[in-house]
Amino acid sequence: MKRIDFLKSLGFSTIAIATGESFLSSCMHMDVSPDISSVGDFITILKIPSEYALSSVLKAQTSQDTLLSKSKVNVLGYGENGLLGPTIKAQKGQYISLPFQNNLAEDTNIHWHGLVIPAEMDGHPDHMIKPNANFDFQFSVNQPAGLNWYHPHMHQHTGEQVTKGLSGLFIVESREEKALNLPRGSHEIPLIIQDKRFNTDGTIRHNPSRMEVMSGYLGDHVLVNGTNKPFVEVATGFYRFRVLNGSSARIYNLALSNNADFYLIGSDGGILPQVETLKSLMFAPAERADILIDFSNLKVGEKIYLKSEKFNGMGNSQGTQTFDILSFNVIKTETDTFKMPSVLLPLDKLSAASKTRQFKLTMGMMAMGGGMNKINGKTFEASRIDETVNLGNTEIWEFDNSTGNEPHPMHIHGVQFQVKSRSGGRNSIMAQEKGWKDTVLVAPNEKVKVQMTFTQKGKFLVHCHNLEHEDDGMMLNFEVN
Ligand SMILES: [Cu+2]
């Protein structure tokens, strides 16, 4: 096939193809779906992020970590301990102060993903923290117990900083959640799943081509908590896994290698009303899953894997392979007293919506100098307010990907929302969408409606959480007055 015909087959117009050799060559070096089923045993013990010590300084900095081999390489993280940051825990109702220091040679900031907090604390790209500068993040945590996270949020460089290691977990706990008596202590394990690519020297590589800015920058290794091919030792009981998809673009179709059921008890914004018994779970970037796994039917010495199965309908580069993520090695028997609750925590009903807004997701083929991924025909402009919302109002926002070819995990800042409907594509509300959400996967051909009440004043963002799409400008401002 001639190069020009090849590009046309990918959907490029003749005009787009005519716009420059550098674009052509970057396309020809594309690696749309790298092989992730690399050989090797799961023989490295799963790292667990440290717990944040209250009022200690979170420092964005370069440090060293072991990733693919035993030799240490330079990575980014929050602190001296290598990739990622400490897990912050706060009680519902707690006022928390998080001193932050930028020890990088470039600007950064922190977005508290999932937390409903004032705009000045939310980490808008307007609010950058310069090299060697510091900032005290202070806010009250007034939301249900759940797994949230934190990461940088600047325009055009979020993908690079997150990929190189800047992310951490923020867990909100509450009395209501404690009363459920869920597995805890050694039976509650955080899992940050991230695919990455590497340079020959073992450092993390971030160099998406123009093609990958559209199709997704997928890695060829999957790390869990920064561990390549990890195992975790378990006993024959129930465990609670607090799972974050911290990847740039990769969607996982989570399942267990023995085809056993697992139990979804929570998603982005907290605990679900009821347990969802699943064999598999489509899990998009920035989504969280609170999962219980029962190992009581296994014998000491057995191993099962958390894996990702093949899937369709999410663009050409996603779901092309089945691969293992994490090995569970059963090392001891125990008597487990955990009882699965028949109901979990009730989901508050939202008021009726006073307005519906449309967000049309499109991918323009070529815009030299500008973004290709657009919302309502626009790319991000920091000073432009795209939507104005009245404080206290309840609205429905519809994300319309009916003409798109790529999946978009859409994230709204400053709120937790409920998914009201999905038409086209998968045509139904998924298990993890039956509770509070801040990120919803909008697959090709789908229109998804979400509903929320705006309780925080100020300037916030709505954007795609495929980090290359976001950095390309698939992000708008909205202001709540
Ligand atoms: Cu997107």
Side-chain angles (χ1 to χ4, degrees):
M1 197 188 277
K2 278 199 238 154
R3 184 190 269 185
I4 196 158
D5 292 331
F6 172 63
L7 287 169
K8 277 182 179 168
S9 76
L10 292 169
F12 289 89
S13 70
T14 309
I15 294 168
I17 293 166
T19 48
E21 183 60 28
S22 65
F23 170 66
L24 287 179
S25 56
S26 74
C27 279
M28 298 319 289
H29 294 129
M30 70 189 174
D31 192 3
V32 171
S33 193
D35 184 0
I36 202 160
S37 62
S38 53
V39 287
D41 293 331
F42 286 70
I43 50 168
T44 308
I45 193 157
L46 178 74
K47 296 173 196 167
I48 304 290
S50 62
E51 218 167 286
Y52 173 73
L54 217 60
S55 78
S56 63
V57 181
L58 275 174
K59 298 173 195 153
Q61 64 175 68
T62 299
S63 71
Q64 298 224 303
D65 207 342
T66 51
L67 298 178
L68 296 189
S69 74
K70 289 200 167 65
S71 9
K72 290 197 166 188
V73 293
N74 280 348
V75 296
L76 299 185
Y78 293 102
E80 293 85 29
N81 298 329
L83 205 77
L84 304 170
T87 299
I88 301 164
K89 281 190 182 167
Q91 302 305 311
K92 181 182 171 186
Q94 188 179 346
Y95 186 81
I96 191 160
S97 175
L98 297 150
F100 172 70
Q101 165 81 31
N102 181 7
N103 288 344
L104 304 174
E106 58 193 294
D107 290 4
T108 191
N109 68 359
I110 298 185
H111 168 53
W112 308 94
H113 186 128
L115 296 182
V116 181
I117 55 174
E120 317 80 84
M121 295 293 152
D122 192 59
H124 190 279
D126 282 352
H127 181 197
M128 298 312 304
I129 298 151
K130 296 275 169 207
N132 301 312
N134 52 61
F135 183 79
D136 243 13
F137 288 95
Q138 295 179 324
F139 47 82
S140 292
V141 176
N142 290 315
Q143 64 189 78
L147 177 64
N148 303 282
W149 62 303
Y150 59 98
H151 61 78
H153 210 305
M154 61 281 277
H155 183 39
Q156 296 178 331
H157 298 284
T158 299
E160 179 166 15
Q161 288 195 0
V162 171
T163 300
K164 290 187 172 171
L166 290 175
S167 296
L169 300 178
F170 192 115
I171 294 177
V172 180
E173 298 177 326
S174 72
R175 231 182 279 170
E176 298 86 336
E177 182 206 26
K178 277 208 180 86
L180 294 171
N181 283 314
L182 298 167
R184 59 173 157 253
S186 64
H187 284 227
E188 181 182 359
I189 300 176
L191 303 176
I192 305 173
I193 302 176
Q194 296 176 304
D195 63 332
K196 296 189 190 292
R197 287 190 204 176
F198 292 87
N199 296 310
T200 47
D201 66 358
T203 54
I204 296 164
R205 183 165 81 219
H206 183 265
N207 64 339
S209 65
R210 290 294 277 173
M211 185 52 127
E212 286 161 341
V213 169
M214 293 188 286
S215 65
Y217 188 57
L218 302 178
D220 46 23
H221 289 74
V222 186
L223 273 53
V224 185
N225 301 342
T227 328
N228 184 44
K229 297 208 169 280
F231 73 87
V232 62
E233 294 181 333
V234 295
T236 54
F238 268 95
Y239 279 73
R240 181 183 188 188
F241 294 96
R242 316 293 300 266
V243 197
L244 162 69
N245 182 350
S247 310
S248 271
R250 189 177 285 278
I251 298 165
Y252 302 85
N253 187 17
L254 298 180
L256 294 172
S257 60
N258 62 349
N259 202 34
D261 289 340
F262 58 92
Y263 307 92
L264 185 75
I265 58 160
S267 56
D268 303 354
I271 302 288
L272 297 176
Q274 278 172 341
V275 179
E276 300 286 330
T277 303
L278 303 175
K279 292 270 189 217
S280 65
L281 173 70
M282 275 296 221
F283 193 43
E287 284 193 304
R288 283 88 74 204
D290 204 336
I291 288 173
L292 301 182
I293 300 179
D294 178 11
F295 298 104
S296 67
N297 294 323
L298 300 177
K299 294 186 183 65
V300 170
E302 271 191 275
K303 290 178 188 176
I304 62 165
Y305 292 90
L306 177 67
K307 64 174 182 173
S308 181
E309 291 185 324
K310 282 187 191 177
F311 54 88
N312 293 315
M314 295 287 169
N316 290 332
S317 63
Q318 300 270 4
T320 59
Q321 282 181 291
T322 291
F323 53 89
D324 293 330
I325 296 171
L326 168 66
S327 175
F328 301 108
N329 300 0
V330 183
I331 58 147
K332 64 174 177 187
T333 51
E334 68 173 14
T335 314
D336 190 4
T337 54
F338 172 71
K339 285 246 157 24
M340 187 74 78
S342 54
V343 290
L344 296 170
L345 296 179
L347 185 67
D348 293 343
K349 247 192 130 91
L350 287 163
S351 321
S354 58
K355 192 178 172 82
T356 298
R357 294 175 203 255
Q358 309 273 343
F359 296 86
K360 177 93 181 145
L361 313 176
T362 57
M363 198 140 52
M365 273 301 122
M366 200 54 208
M368 295 304 279
M372 299 179 286
N373 296 284
K374 295 187 164 84
I375 305 175
N376 287 342
K378 297 185 277 190
T379 54
F380 184 65
E381 182 60 62
S383 59
R384 187 188 66 216
I385 301 296
D386 299 287
E387 303 289 332
T388 306
V389 176
N390 291 334
L391 184 68
N393 271 16
T394 298
E395 298 196 356
I396 289 171
W397 286 14
E398 183 182 65
F399 297 112
D400 177 357
N401 195 18
S402 54
T403 60
N405 299 316
E406 294 295 333
H408 299 291
M410 298 304 296
H411 173 46
I412 310 177
H413 289 215
V415 293
Q416 285 284 336
F417 55 72
Q418 293 177 12
V419 178
K420 301 318 274 186
S421 69
R422 172 179 281 104
S423 59
R426 292 170 291 163
N427 242 314
S428 59
I429 293 176
M430 305 290 119
Q432 75 267 40
E433 295 168 347
K434 295 178 181 172
W436 290 111
K437 293 283 290 170
D438 54 56
T439 306
V440 66
L441 179 59
V442 188
N445 304 317
E446 289 181 358
K447 289 185 188 182
V448 178
K449 282 184 181 160
V450 302
Q451 185 169 343
M452 68 240 123
T453 302
F454 295 87
T455 60
Q456 303 291 321
K457 248 184 165 169
K459 186 176 173 183
F460 290 100
L461 298 163
V462 51
H463 65 90
C464 178
H465 220 288
N466 173 319
L467 297 179
E468 271 56 61
H469 291 183
E470 174 187 335
D471 283 340
D472 188 48
M474 196 170 193
M475 176 157 77
L476 299 182
N477 283 311
F478 66 94
E479 188 164 283
V480 182
N481 294 308

